[in-house]
Amino acid sequence: MPKQEPPGTGTETDPGPTWLRKSIAPKLRLAAKESRAFFEEELSKSGATFAAWTILATLKLEGPMIQRSLAQYLSIEGPTLSRHLETMERRGLVVRTRDGADRRAAVVALTDEGLSRYEEIESVALRSQERMLEGLSDADIVQLGELLERIRSNVKAD
């Protein structure tokens, strides 16, 4: 009598979840989770948080933004962003001002201190990215970015 394999092991008689071993979704989740944990640990060595870094980097890249737009850009909830901004305002990194046209809309901008802090931790971000992409060629990195954008586009809600 032939040896029985446990169920779900992907034998000829039981295909099991072999598709799962080839599935990209778990790999994307793990890569994102482990990369973020690594990046957060590196940032913490400089006294920064992931949230503060993404806010500083977005404002540096995009310029002053309405708070609601900043939340959408970062894909976080408004109340979550508000808590981060309150902390960053107390530290003098950002300033929120009310827009004259819409008094409910707060425009968020970097302060000189925020710009200085951005410049301090930019090198940490660059070193971290280099480590995450170690062993990949420039062409690999371009292709990876394009593939990730295509996946996002495929699953983005209309």
Side-chain angles (χ1 to χ4, degrees):
M1 185 170 191
K3 180 181 169 196
Q4 281 295 125
E5 293 291 329
T9 57
T11 64
E12 286 181 14
T13 57
D14 175 22
T18 56
W19 67 269
L20 190 55
R21 287 189 198 100
K22 297 177 183 174
S23 176
I24 196 69
K27 291 174 183 159
L28 283 172
R29 183 186 67 77
L30 286 172
K33 183 179 178 182
E34 291 171 10
S35 296
R36 178 157 174 180
F38 164 74
F39 189 45
E40 286 179 344
E41 185 176 322
E42 293 300 304
L43 286 170
S44 73
K45 293 174 186 175
S46 298
T49 64
F50 182 78
W53 166 249
T54 56
I55 292 167
L56 292 172
T58 299
L59 293 173
K60 169 73 171 141
L61 179 68
E62 300 293 332
M65 300 177 79
I66 294 174
Q67 187 169 324
R68 182 174 48 254
S69 299
L70 181 58
Q72 289 171 339
Y73 188 94
L74 296 171
S75 296
I76 61 176
E77 297 295 321
T80 301
L81 177 62
S82 289
R83 285 192 302 278
H84 293 305
L85 292 176
E86 286 169 14
T87 300
M88 293 175 76
E89 269 187 314
R90 282 194 303 274
R91 294 181 59 205
L93 303 175
V94 298
V95 62
R96 289 186 280 188
T97 56
R98 298 288 170 199
D99 183 21
D102 183 355
R103 299 298 298 159
R104 294 171 299 158
V107 176
V108 184
L110 284 178
T111 62
D112 289 341
E113 180 65 28
L115 181 58
S116 176
R117 186 71 178 126
Y118 165 84
E119 291 168 353
E120 288 172 19
I121 57 180
E122 179 183 34
S123 62
V124 173
L126 292 172
R127 276 194 320 272
S128 298
Q129 178 167 294
E130 285 174 11
R131 168 113 182 259
M132 285 187 266
L133 299 175
E134 224 169 72
L136 299 179
S137 70
D138 290 345
D140 290 340
I141 294 167
V142 168
Q143 183 179 26
L144 176 60
E146 290 170 351
L147 292 171
L148 290 171
E149 284 301 320
R150 194 176 314 154
I151 290 169
R152 286 185 63 220
S153 176
N154 288 345
V155 298
K156 194 178 264 184
D158 292 324

